[in-house]
Amino acid sequence: ILRVLVEERMVKIETGTKRYTLDVGVLALAHSVVENNPFSERLQDALDRLSEKWDVTTIGVKVSGVEDLVVLALARSRGPFRLYVEVGGRFPALTSATGRLVAAYAELSDAELGKHFKQLNWDNAPDFDTWRKEVRSVQKKGFAIDRGNYMGGITVLAVPVVNPQKRLSHALVAIGVSDQLTKERMQALTSDLLQEAQAPS
């Protein structure tokens, strides 16, 4: 098996140690998996539209538990703000607005949430009680917002995409400069994002 993996450039033999490590073929395989994911294919046009209309960066992510999220689709804003994230990239599942979504659907106790919360990195961390209240309000409101907690001066809006069993499978995310996202613009953007999330749900 290892000989075949070496031939396919999935692994390589380290000189002198005879140990196997991952090689560049894994990158091509991962890129192919992400590109051929039906979720990203269906949503790329929607993300492009939203990004163009509202001048925000839009992202489609796969939720796999409470550890991390995987970026499946991405449309960058035209503005000066640039988020350094790529398709296939991973980031902590419980951070920012997406974290509030994940926590709301994860059915964790307050003690478990508190344990995970302590491990998160924020620019301006909310206190746990405030964060927990925001988590609890997610299912009632149908979306989550992070106003400058995760990244100072940046607002993150996240809406859930649920599977037929009503479990969170993906999320749609919009990221923009807080000063440009007035209350009225946020309401309209939220409405658009929720509408786009209905199709894959």
Side-chain angles (χ1 to χ4, degrees):
I1 292 171
L2 282 169
R3 203 163 30 243
V4 172
L5 291 174
V6 169
E7 288 173 11
E8 294 294 327
R9 299 181 69 198
M10 297 293 174
V11 298
K12 63 183 176 182
I13 304 172
E14 291 291 336
T15 310
T17 65
K18 304 254 182 190
R19 295 180 61 143
Y20 291 92
T21 59
L22 294 176
D23 202 359
V24 293
V26 173
L27 297 175
L29 178 63
H31 191 68
S32 172
V33 168
V34 170
E35 277 194 336
N36 294 314
N37 186 290
F39 177 80
S40 25
E41 285 180 22
R42 285 196 305 264
L43 281 186
Q44 189 61 58
D45 286 344
L47 296 180
D48 289 340
R49 269 195 317 277
L50 290 167
S51 183
E52 179 71 23
K53 179 178 179 180
W54 296 105
D55 196 17
V56 293
T57 295
T58 52
I59 304 172
V61 297
K62 168 73 176 155
V63 178
S64 302
V66 296
E67 295 306 319
D68 55 20
L69 304 173
V70 180
V71 177
L72 296 180
L74 169 70
R76 298 188 187 280
S77 73
R78 302 179 316 276
F81 166 68
R82 289 286 186 271
L83 180 70
Y84 293 99
V85 64
E86 298 294 335
V87 172
R90 304 169 84 92
F91 57 95
L94 291 180
T95 342
S96 193
T98 49
R100 291 165 175 87
L101 286 184
V102 172
Y105 282 86
E107 299 175 358
L108 297 176
S109 69
D110 284 352
E112 290 170 310
L113 281 176
K115 181 181 173 184
H116 286 288
F117 182 80
K118 288 177 184 174
Q119 299 171 354
L120 301 176
N121 293 316
W122 309 80
D123 269 358
N124 304 294
D127 63 73
F128 177 66
D129 287 338
T130 300
W131 182 79
R132 186 179 52 182
K133 286 175 188 171
E134 292 170 348
V135 166
R136 287 178 176 163
S137 72
V138 164
Q139 287 184 324
K140 183 173 74 172
K141 294 189 305 186
F143 60 90
I145 296 177
D146 180 294
R147 292 182 181 87
N149 295 129
Y150 183 48
M151 294 178 282
I154 301 300
T155 293
V156 182
L157 166 66
V159 302
V161 177
V162 295
N163 62 22
Q165 292 76 38
K166 302 298 181 189
R167 295 193 176 277
L168 181 67
S169 62
H170 298 80
L172 302 186
V173 185
I175 305 167
V177 177
S178 297
D179 289 345
Q180 296 174 357
L181 292 172
T182 62
K183 183 178 178 181
E184 293 75 19
R185 283 176 63 83
M186 278 299 292
Q187 288 174 343
L189 172 58
T190 301
S191 176
D192 280 359
L193 207 61
L194 284 167
Q195 187 174 349
E196 295 295 352
Q198 292 304 309
S201 291

